Amino acid sequence: MTPALLLALAFAAPSPAAGARDADAALVLVVASNRGTQPGRTPLRYADDDAAKYFEVFSTIAGRENAELLTELDRDTAGLFPRLRGTARPPTRPEVERAAAELGRRAAELARSGRAVRFYFVFAGHGDVDDGRGFLELSDGPFTADDLQRVIRTVGAPEAHVILDSCNSFFVVNPRKPGGARFATPRDAADALSRRLPNVGVFLSTSAKAEVYEWSELQSGVFSHAVRSGLMGAADADADGAVTYAELAAFIDTATADIKNPLYRPAVYARGPNGEDGRELLSFRGASRVTLAVDDPRRVRLAARDADGLRWIDTYKEAGGALELWLPPSLAGRVEVDRLKTGPGQRGEVEASFALAAPAGAAAKLSSLAPAGSVVAMRGPGEIFQALFSRPFGPEAFATYLEVHAGEPAGVPESAWETLPPPARARPAPRVEALVRGGAIVPIRGEWDGVARPSVAISAGVALNSVLSVELQAGYFEAVREEAFLYPSVGYLNNPIPGTRIRMQAAPISLDARVRLPTSPTPYLVLGAGFVVEHVTVDPPDFNATLRSTDPVPFFHGGLGVLFDLGPRWFTGIEARYFLTADHPAFGTDTGIAGITGAATLGFRP
């Protein structure tokens, strides 16, 4: 056994607790949109097909009751997946938030039953970059890195896995450093991601310039087809019934190595939870599925398709290696396996086809399959994508991959650090926010008594993007003092009345701007100005009449605070503001006030 192979087996070996992971529960959210929201964006054809296939794959592991599918099935895809017509919902922000909340409820139930929970977020569709911050495109607007983190926090699983197939998806999980500077090296980026999302693994394409490439032969995006092929056993280099981040990265690197034009070759970024690339991305041990053992000791290149001709798996097994492939149980009795030619100059021509008639839960061997009645010819751009899967994969290829990429995060090519294209200048869609604040105000200027008294405020505004929001606020507070008051009467001009109680009831109305850091928790700076309606009551302690005055007075306030998300719609926070009104005499006494307000905040995003 070669040293490289020993390294591969050591790297891929399951941890002592790997067997216990088979009892873990999985929750899945699959989102895909053919349509982009940016002007001039060419629609994709197969993002909805990818979503349907991802849903079938992951719901095999999680169970359909623990899986959510958000996509718009076009007529062709709905015909190919009729069982999903009632399952799929639109890929919109409200639906993402609803699905996250529902999966969060399921996660809590499973945790209470003592089961460990893993959450999978899968996206296929358009993506772009604005000022170094990536976003995915839902059918109703952008979905940013902050949105993704909110979904992960809402579900609340102790371990999460993110798979993204979109342009610039690397920048959704790894935006530029604060101030716009790029990370200097792949290790810098991986370390930063580990600090921000330690329990989240990510597997995605990194190219900043490439588009999402689709191939009609696959009826899928190239990257997503390779990912699913690997997860359905083709990347299981050590044949342990699970696929790790490193195994899948190595599988895709090997499968796409012979595509000459780098624009068409997926560039992969893979990082397991806590930076452990040997962690399992998907375990299929114990799942009820259609299983095929490839028991031919020679090199074998295979493709599996269903009765409708949909391609599900491509693989090229090394000589001598063990390989077990699996397919969703919904395909039981409807699968044909094509053996492809592997000689010099061969580009995936079909040599023979076999019927895989095994029911769900049963295992079949390649050597025992009966020949199928027909052979389906390849179609599509052979000069480009027929180079896919032209190199065999197994323990030796995995070991070679680990040697080449030793010391790097799995699958980070230099192309990930190329200069970004001109930003699309897209902005996340504005979001309405409503807030209630309650706290106290302490006067620190003037002759007010300095006693903390309640203050309340309500506001409504719009978050223009992840940094800036504006809001209209209305509030209420009081201030009180006692003084020797010169009553405005001829008899009291030179005789002040001691113990006169002066009470100010104030209703401030302001337009505020809040500038926040796009992090979680979210610190912010708030500045605002407006006018306060002051109702001043002067109550002398003798028989003189009580005096009242109501006037608007300009004021300014500013302060600092921090917000904490409670879910996709609710948030809370704390803040402190400095408050200053203009001087204003009422019956000859100055009612100007300056103070410090402290408040707790509860907010809602409709």
Side-chain angles (χ1 to χ4, degrees):
M1 186 176 291
T2 66
L5 185 54
L6 287 171
L7 172 65
L9 294 176
F11 194 90
S15 65
R21 292 181 57 84
D22 296 342
D24 290 358
L27 301 171
V28 182
L29 175 54
V30 179
V31 184
S33 179
N34 282 326
R35 296 183 288 120
T37 57
Q38 304 307 307
R41 183 79 77 203
T42 301
L44 298 171
R45 293 183 59 193
Y46 300 122
D48 56 332
D49 297 77
D50 278 324
K53 292 176 182 177
Y54 272 126
F55 182 82
E56 292 287 359
V57 170
F58 280 98
S59 63
T60 300
I61 307 302
R64 289 184 178 253
E65 70 279 7
N66 293 330
E68 294 275 350
L69 174 62
L70 304 183
T71 192
E72 295 170 320
L73 302 175
D74 61 26
R75 184 175 61 182
D76 291 340
T77 308
L80 293 169
F81 296 91
R83 58 195 172 278
L84 299 183
R85 288 175 180 171
T87 301
R89 300 172 71 105
T92 62
R93 179 184 295 275
E95 283 295 333
V96 171
E97 293 173 348
R98 178 205 58 79
E102 174 61 24
L103 292 174
R105 184 186 64 79
R106 290 286 298 133
E109 291 176 354
L110 291 165
R112 285 193 295 270
S113 70
R115 299 184 68 184
V117 180
R118 289 167 286 141
F119 171 54
Y120 293 90
F121 179 88
V122 184
F123 178 86
H126 284 295
D128 216 323
V129 177
D130 179 27
D131 292 334
R133 298 189 64 81
F135 60 89
L136 309 173
E137 295 187 42
L138 304 179
S139 63
D140 62 346
F143 185 79
T144 67
D146 292 337
D147 297 323
L148 176 57
Q149 291 182 52
R150 272 192 290 270
V151 166
I152 292 171
R153 288 196 299 271
T154 298
V155 176
E159 183 178 301
H161 305 270
V162 175
I163 299 174
L164 304 180
D165 182 9
S166 72
C167 310
N168 301 298
S169 57
F170 176 76
F171 296 94
V172 175
V173 295
N174 244 331
R176 291 181 183 177
K177 290 180 179 178
R182 290 182 186 82
F183 296 98
T185 67
R187 179 58 62 188
D188 287 342
D191 289 345
L193 186 60
S194 295
R195 290 191 296 271
R196 289 172 50 246
L197 302 170
N199 66 327
V200 179
V202 293
F203 198 94
L204 45 89
S205 56
T206 63
S207 176
K209 293 182 178 181
E211 297 292 332
V212 174
Y213 285 105
E214 302 177 314
W215 185 13
S216 59
E217 166 65 21
L218 304 177
Q219 293 184 252
S220 170
V222 171
F223 175 78
S224 282
H225 179 70
V227 168
R228 287 191 301 271
S229 294
L231 293 178
M232 288 189 282
D236 187 11
D238 57 359
D240 67 344
V243 174
T244 67
Y245 279 81
E247 284 178 323
L248 188 57
F251 172 76
I252 294 177
D253 183 79
T254 303
T256 61
D258 285 342
I259 297 178
K260 295 180 181 179
N261 190 334
L263 288 177
Y264 299 104
R265 188 168 59 241
V268 173
Y269 178 86
R271 173 197 166 275
N274 299 305
E276 300 170 9
D277 299 327
R279 288 277 287 273
E280 292 177 1
L281 199 166
L282 187 72
S283 169
F284 39 88
R285 309 180 191 99
S288 177
R289 60 199 192 277
V290 178
T291 304
L292 174 65
V294 183
D295 54 348
D296 192 324
R298 299 169 296 174
R299 288 185 175 185
V300 179
R301 184 174 177 184
L302 301 174
R305 53 186 171 82
D306 63 21
D308 295 313
L310 282 180
R311 195 90 159 242
W312 285 83
I313 297 178
D314 272 271
T315 186
Y316 190 175
K317 183 187 77 70
E318 286 181 343
L323 180 63
E324 183 176 275
L325 305 174
W326 66 272
L327 293 119
S330 59
L331 300 180
R334 302 178 58 246
V335 178
E336 291 193 358
V337 178
D338 297 329
R339 183 164 187 154
L340 309 181
K341 298 178 181 179
T342 60
Q346 302 292 339
R347 289 297 188 181
E349 289 85 353
V350 177
E351 182 177 90
S353 293
F354 306 92
L356 177 56
K365 294 182 179 180
L366 179 64
S367 60
S368 65
L369 297 186
S374 63
V375 174
V376 178
M378 295 276 285
R379 64 186 185 278
E383 290 302 314
I384 299 174
F385 294 129
Q386 287 185 17
L388 282 167
F389 305 101
S390 60
R391 295 187 184 186
F393 180 79
E396 290 288 348
F398 182 46
T400 301
Y401 173 87
L402 292 180
E403 282 190 326
V404 171
H405 295 277
E408 296 180 5
V412 182
E414 290 302 317
S415 61
W417 317 103
E418 295 176 352
T419 303
L420 285 171
R425 310 309 305 170
R427 294 290 188 270
R431 298 193 68 185
V432 174
E433 295 180 333
L435 301 95
V436 177
R437 297 181 176 89
I441 180 170
V442 179
I444 60 173
R445 196 204 71 173
E447 299 179 4
W448 304 99
D449 59 12
V451 176
R453 284 185 166 79
S455 69
V456 294
I458 58 173
S459 64
V462 177
L464 300 176
N465 51 45
S466 61
V467 175
L468 178 64
S469 63
V470 294
E471 59 191 41
L472 184 66
Q473 176 176 279
Y476 176 83
F477 69 89
E478 295 184 4
V480 176
R481 72 172 187 254
E482 289 188 1
E483 65 179 38
F485 176 69
L486 288 171
Y487 197 83
S489 170
V490 174
Y492 288 92
L493 284 178
N494 298 311
N495 296 295
I497 302 174
T500 300
R501 187 172 187 268
I502 299 176
R503 178 189 182 201
M504 181 176 66
Q505 297 169 287
I509 300 174
S510 64
L511 182 64
D512 301 344
R514 195 149 29 102
V515 180
R516 50 193 171 189
L517 293 179
T519 61
S520 182
T522 307
Y524 64 86
L525 167 70
V526 62
L527 298 171
F531 64 90
V532 55
V533 179
E534 294 182 352
H535 180 71
V536 179
T537 303
V538 180
D539 189 10
D542 59 9
F543 57 85
N544 290 283
T546 299
L547 305 175
R548 294 178 176 85
S549 171
T550 302
D551 295 286
V553 179
F555 84 98
F556 160 84
H557 62 179
L560 299 171
V562 61
L563 298 176
F564 306 88
D565 284 321
L566 300 177
R569 296 181 180 271
W570 292 94
F571 59 95
T572 188
I574 54 174
E575 67 173 31
R577 301 191 188 191
Y578 176 75
F579 182 98
L580 174 66
T581 70
D583 292 336
H584 175 66
F587 307 110
T589 184
D590 183 15
T591 61
I593 184 172
I596 299 294
T597 62
T601 296
L602 179 64
F604 177 71
R605 303 181 183 96

